[in-house]
Amino acid sequence: MTKYSVVGKSVPRVDARDKAAGRAKYAVDEDLPGCLVGLVLRSPHPHARIVHIDTGRAERLAGVKAILTARDAPLPPPKRSSIEQDKRIFARGRARFVGDELAAVAARDEDTAGEALELIRVEYAQLPAVFTPEDALKPGAPIVPEDGDNIAGSFCLTRGDVDAAFARADHIFQDELETQIQNQCYLEPLSCLASYDVNGRLTIWISSMDPSGVRLCLAQTLGLPEGRVRMIQCNVGGAFGGKITMLPIYPICALLSMKTGRPVKMMNNREEEFIATLPRVPMVIDIKTGFSKDGIFLAKETKVLADNGAYMDKGPRIVIKGTVLPDNVYRVANIRSEGKIVYTNKSAVGAFRGFGTAQLTYALETHLDRVARELGMTPQELRLKNFTRPGDLTAHGWKVGTCGLKECIEEVSQKINFGKIKSHTRGLGVACTAYDCDNRQSADFGGSVAYVKISEEGKVQIISGEADYGQGMRTIFAQMAAEVLGVSMAEVEIPLPDSDYTPFSQGPWALRVTVSGGNAVMLAAEDAKCQLLELAAHMLEANVKDLELAEGKIQVKGSPGKGLSLAEVARYAIFKPSGSAIIGKGVDEPDTNPRDPKTFYGNSSRAYIFGSQVVEVDIDRETGRLKILNISSAHDLGTAINPAAAEGQIEGGIATGLGLGLTEEVLYNQGAVLNPNLVDYKVPTAADMPPIETILVQPYDHKCAFGAKAIGMPGTILPPPALSNAIYDALGVRVNSLPMTPMKILKCLERLGTEV
Amino acid sequence: MTKYSVVGKSVPRVDARDKAAGRAKYAVDEDLPGCLVGLVLRSPHPHARIVHIDTGRAERLAGVKAILTARDAPLPPPKRSSIEQDKRIFARGRARFVGDELAAVAARDEDTAGEALELIRVEYAQLPAVFTPEDALKPGAPIVPEDGDNIAGSFCLTRGDVDAAFARADHIFQDELETQIQNQCYLEPLSCLASYDVNGRLTIWISSMDPSGVRLCLAQTLGLPEGRVRMIQCNVGGAFGGKITMLPIYPICALLSMKTGRPVKMMNNREEEFIATLPRVPMVIDIKTGFSKDGIFLAKETKVLADNGAYMDKGPRIVIKGTVLPDNVYRVANIRSEGKIVYTNKSAVGAFRGFGTAQLTYALETHLDRVARELGMTPQELRLKNFTRPGDLTAHGWKVGTCGLKECIEEVSQKINFGKIKSHTRGLGVACTAYDCDNRQSADFGGSVAYVKISEEGKVQIISGEADYGQGMRTIFAQMAAEVLGVSMAEVEIPLPDSDYTPFSQGPWALRVTVSGGNAVMLAAEDAKCQLLELAAHMLEANVKDLELAEGKIQVKGSPGKGLSLAEVARYAIFKPSGSAIIGKGVDEPDTNPRDPKTFYGNSSRAYIFGSQVVEVDIDRETGRLKILNISSAHDLGTAINPAAAEGQIEGGIATGLGLGLTEEVLYNQGAVLNPNLVDYKVPTAADMPPIETILVQPYDHKCAFGAKAIGMPGTILPPPALSNAIYDALGVRVNSLPMTPMKILKCLERLGTEV
């Protein structure tokens, strides 16, 4: 790593001081003169015909400026080619889950808006509701969507000859596992400020993961030309996938501003966060595999049944991607996967760290642990026999370049030695994962655009439309630009996206921000550097080839005396006749193909990441209480641009993975959430975190800027299966559903006792 | 004008609806969480030694967050090559005028800040003060500035052989005229919001005429690298020159934010506007001319004595420019001008519509009226004998291109016929003027940079750092871009400058915004158009030469069926592989030279404007009360991009010119302003406005984008001399000082009576 000055160093995050000092502005901190407060009236019933909404009394309340219901909202549902949302702004005809948006109020303050909500009278005719995919598929089940049946999406894909492979397998294994609904629990609830001006232009301040995409979607939903929607990104207080699509609060806030002619601010309360956002897709996963007697992975069949909730967001895509990705960890040629995701009268589900992969990795890696044991191998041995190698073409079409999976498995195995523990309460579990970096969506633009401007005093400004939603993107981009231009981090600025000024960006599909956005920044910085050198050559009357840029200075190679500061050249560029600030441009466009929409086959990413984790647990056999003694997590992320940030990502991911594995579940009763608050819903806290050792495996990937791939997802994906396997290692029982609570562990122990 | 679709049309201003609806945001409308309010403690004495400032009690007041005095402010005075300000942020050692900044408070609200000001104890030792330039030049007079004498600036320039010309003149005339202090009285008082963040970066929201220049100056004053100052321009509620430089409120607000670590907002009250801003430079003007017996203008000698107030701003430059410009109306080869501007213990003076030209044009044009009458000519005859023609090289080095002065004089003379009125109370007066457009300041960059971005749906966004301070620039730029790109005005957006995104711009020297900024916009739009056509040629598989752009469509010439909408091409540009939004760039750099700094000779502007005005008055000989019956104002502005906006500029200018001529004067007693409010200080209101006929003379100037020159100043410059001459025409008396109040008119009539 010595060849870089800034890249590869654990410099502090560019937004750290602002956030720590409470000075960072979030959407709710934005304000405009005459700003109103908006609140939403939600259905208390999981399924009901809306007979009549009487807003008369609420409208007469002093301080109420507007009340909207479905009749005030544009009719067509939001549609965008890559996100098949079918939620209308307000429920039409029927309320389909507890929390469904029925009406909204804008008033001078929150108290008045709240009072107005209470004055709205809604007459309902309750309808039979359905709460599980199994029930929703039964003949005669209530139909949740506007038309058709309850199947929100289904897929079936085959690689190789699955039946023949199973036929020649020596051993066939089968398991059924189940995952739960997990809420993102980001600290900053959904919030926005919308201001529709007298010229018919909407400006909206949001904290989105995909400001460009949400802007286009919002314009389409509202029936406004895209050019009339300005999207200003604020700091994002956590997102984890939950803020990647257009959520109802945005068009509602916009409509309230359009109706009142005044700015309107809205923010979910925590209960709304639990009942009406897009939590993790719960799945029932049936997995069957065939192995040769010496442990070669021959065939795999997966059947997934998932719960879509009442409206469509990314559910079907999550089921497909979640099912396909874990397969790429192994050299298995014969695969059949099918999945169904089904409407029910619960809140819609959506993207959450892992995009379905956490659920399916939990299933596959738990299943493989059993396979290894039954084949008489250690879990590592089985994996090392079958894992994907650099240069492989996987069954799903991944052209694997760098792949540090072997090092990852070896590293974590070394750290926590298997077979050494002999105790009735302690156990070790291992799991592996793979993820794609930039997941091309179509044959159209699949990259990123950035500009790097050099202003007076040699200040470097990065103009990118990519979003920093807490993952640290701005710091990574700033390090890349600083590295290319030979300046310190303090000289680099990277403002938040504003659609008036920053270029269009793809959403943060997969983990594309560093590889694609970062590459654009690097190219833009290189372009700016070329322009600087050319100008300096003119100023110094030197040949551009003889010049070098280092430590904020441009000088003639070998003549350290003769030189110009970056500031001098930048200033000359602006103030010379016909001058203007140097602006470098970078366009990233990866050499990838979109996956085939039917078969989901294809090499849609320029690079792939891998990881492996070992967890050591100690379990109280009386109470089922589990204590994590150690986690060792090794990750092939390519070059770590900022090792501390990468470790932070891994540790944060592990926290979410522990919640998924052990404690978190949104509990429903007849469609109503029972624990919509952070007391009854158990997110791991700092005090719950075990000792974690992170190991960064850094093969240099030539397809990526500075060799850096990605790191976002694996931390979250690995803990549930690693924990599941550790529990088995300790107790000899399998808890085949998440979260693996003490109660479930005790029940398994009881059953084991009965069986024995 | 039929060749243009949008240019030349009186389209509504782009900001009209926002402003009329009260939705436009001014600096005072900006807000940030935890924002404090700042107030300034000012000296009550015109000249006093500051013995001690005790802030102890104020500091202990609950809610007070910071108190600053001179000891907390950076030591070096603000300096910038082109603006020789010598004011330190706070008065050091001595207070030098009533209103001088001594201390500032930041507190949780305005009441607390106000209370804190009252608790600050200042011990003064009063010093002898001086209030007029004449007194300030006397030996032994108190010295106002930090060191040296009281002469703030002086100049002397000569063209031709003045003494010889006077020697051969048949007639020599001499007059002394005097002008007063006029306050800009913009509606929006000076205000700003400053926020210094934890990363050491200052963001300041202001309403400046020169956001780029003030940014550089502010950074220098505060000792911050320029890159650490972000300047965001807000809507400007009038400026008229008064907001062109860095005013003390900006660094004070910034320092309060730097000390407290919190955002701070400040706004002058109207009294502060009157006592501590930069009003019009008052002058005593001695003017002597030599003419041949047939009325040829042979020689001119001018001596100016001006009052600089206590600190240096643009006073010396105003005296020089004001003296030179009016000469260019005439073919006079032999000129000697000298001027002195002198420190006194009053508020500093600065730029105000006309930049000194209003004062000197009043003097010259009043004087020439007397010359004409004494030579037995009509005022028009004298002017038509001597006026500047197209193609002239004037005595001061102006290379005159288009010049519609003759048409202007003829038009206004036709409209209000001289010689027809025979009444003891009615009179007619005429005056002429000339102005430069873009006044190059140095051999460095003297133009403007703009970008034109085409985003989705073919929306056109103009990115320029030039400031719209109420003159309508954004509308003019939008018309130019719409014209080039063949789109409607509704498709064009032009956000306010933000130093993070918009390019550096010169200040609005002279009238350069339309000629220079507009040219850059036109070039940028043409560049974007080329890119659009090239892309469309690729999409249509056509030759780019065969394509044309019109009415939002690109089509093959002669094949109106085959074509693409602008939106289709713009969208393709963004979403195609390796795509990015089309961004056109335009750099204007005029073919001009800076004036010689010593002789002030040179052709510093690509074009020049001219104008003439006739005023008809009726005066009550008993009360001296003057009624304006008609104003006819003809202006050579080149192409009027927006005739209604041009007429608005002329009418607004006339309002200020009427105030200067008749009613407005900041009155002092022992250095204290007697009328610091809009009741006692008489700004003309809508009810005071006479019928005005504006005549637009529009020669096409090939050096200017769309042939458009400028229009800002002449409306203001012409009324005082036209009124002065009309009063003489009616009553036979000369009121040789401004404002020409009823009292002064009566006194002249009394004196006339006595003389007769």
Side-chain angles (χ1 to χ4, degrees), chain B residues 76 131 152 193 311 323 364 385 404-405 424 520 534 670:
Chain B
F131 303 116
L193 170 64
Y311 293 99
T323 308
L364 176 60
K385 257 192 202 304
L405 187 54
H424 285 305
E534 271 171 32
Q670 290 298 306

Side-chain angles (χ1 to χ4, degrees), chain A residues 14 17-18 21 23 25 29 31-33 195-199 201 215-216 225-228 261-262 443-445 449 451 453 456-457 459 461 463 490 493 495-496 498-502 504 571 574-581 583 585 587 589, chain B residues 14 17-18 21 23 25 29 31-33 195-199 201 215-216 225-228 261-263 443-445 449 451 453 456-457 459 461 490 493 495-496 498-502 504 571 574-581 583 585 587 589:
Chain A
V14 295
R17 291 167 60 95
D18 246 356
R23 289 284 297 272
K25 274 184 100 179
D29 297 320
D31 208 1
L32 286 171
S195 175
Y196 186 72
D197 68 25
V198 286
N199 300 311
R201 188 161 197 237
R215 170 173 170 261
L216 300 182
E226 289 150 7
R228 295 210 174 258
R262 286 171 64 173
D444 296 338
F445 181 47
V449 176
Y451 299 89
K453 186 169 98 178
E456 312 89 350
E457 307 236 348
K459 189 190 76 159
Q461 189 194 22
I463 298 172
E493 289 281 337
L496 294 169
D498 173 342
S499 62
D500 261 10
Y501 294 112
T502 46
F504 171 82
R571 192 175 286 274
I574 297 167
F575 297 113
K576 76 185 176 72
S578 296
S580 62
I583 300 178
K585 180 179 178 181
V587 179
E589 182 67 89
Chain B
V14 295
R17 292 168 58 95
D18 246 355
R23 290 283 298 271
K25 275 183 100 180
D29 297 320
D31 208 1
L32 286 171
S195 176
Y196 186 72
D197 68 25
V198 285
N199 301 310
R201 188 161 197 236
R215 171 172 169 261
L216 300 184
E226 289 149 7
R228 296 210 173 257
R262 286 171 62 173
D444 296 338
F445 182 46
V449 176
Y451 298 89
K453 185 169 99 176
E456 312 90 349
E457 309 234 348
K459 189 191 76 159
Q461 190 193 21
E493 289 281 338
L496 296 168
D498 173 343
S499 62
D500 260 10
Y501 294 111
T502 46
F504 171 80
R571 193 175 286 275
I574 296 168
F575 296 113
K576 78 184 174 73
S578 297
S580 63
I583 301 178
K585 180 178 177 180
V587 179
E589 182 67 270

Side-chain angles (χ1 to χ4, degrees), chain B residues 19 50 261 271 343 647:
Chain B
K19 285 182 174 170
I50 304 161
E271 182 176 352
Y343 284 105
E647 286 168 13

Side-chain angles (χ1 to χ4, degrees), chain B residues 591-635:
Chain B
D591 176 25
T592 53
N593 303 109
R595 294 191 180 111
D596 183 291
K598 291 209 169 147
T599 66
F600 216 65
Y601 183 93
N603 186 51
S604 66
S605 179
R606 81 190 76 191
Y608 299 93
I609 61 168
F610 301 88
S612 185
Q613 193 173 90
V614 168
V615 175
E616 183 179 5
V617 300
D618 191 358
I619 304 166
D620 183 330
R621 283 173 168 265
E622 297 299 313
T623 62
R625 212 184 152 92
L626 178 150
K627 183 171 193 257
I628 300 171
L629 302 176
N630 279 298
I631 293 183
S632 184
S633 209
H635 298 272

Side-chain angles (χ1 to χ4, degrees), chain A residues 289-370:
Chain A
T289 57
F291 278 82
S292 73
K293 59 180 182 294
D294 52 351
I296 300 302
F297 195 167
L298 298 174
K300 171 173 177 276
E301 187 172 56
T302 313
K303 286 178 188 162
V304 179
L305 182 62
D307 188 342
N308 188 66
Y311 293 98
M312 177 82 79
D313 191 74
K314 289 184 183 285
R317 291 153 52 82
I318 288 168
V319 175
I320 299 175
K321 180 159 181 177
T323 308
V324 166
L325 253 66
D327 299 344
N328 294 286
V329 177
Y330 302 104
R331 289 178 160 177
V332 52
N334 306 294
I335 297 170
R336 181 159 53 225
S337 298
E338 52 183 86
K340 239 185 218 118
I341 180 161
V342 181
Y343 283 105
T344 62
N345 290 112
K346 300 206 300 256
S347 128
V349 292
F352 189 170
R353 221 164 170 175
F355 208 78
T357 308
Q359 293 92 310
L360 273 298
T361 299
Y362 159 65
L364 176 59
E365 295 291 310
T366 296
H367 174 79
L368 290 181
D369 194 75
R370 180 186 148 209

Side-chain angles (χ1 to χ4, degrees), chain B residues 460-483:
Chain B
V460 174
Q461 190 193 21
I462 299 169
I463 298 172
S464 161
E466 303 288 349
D468 191 332
Y469 37 89
Q471 87 281 44
M473 177 205 85
R474 292 163 79 201
T475 309
I476 299 303
F477 285 8
Q479 286 183 267
M480 289 177 164
E483 186 67 48

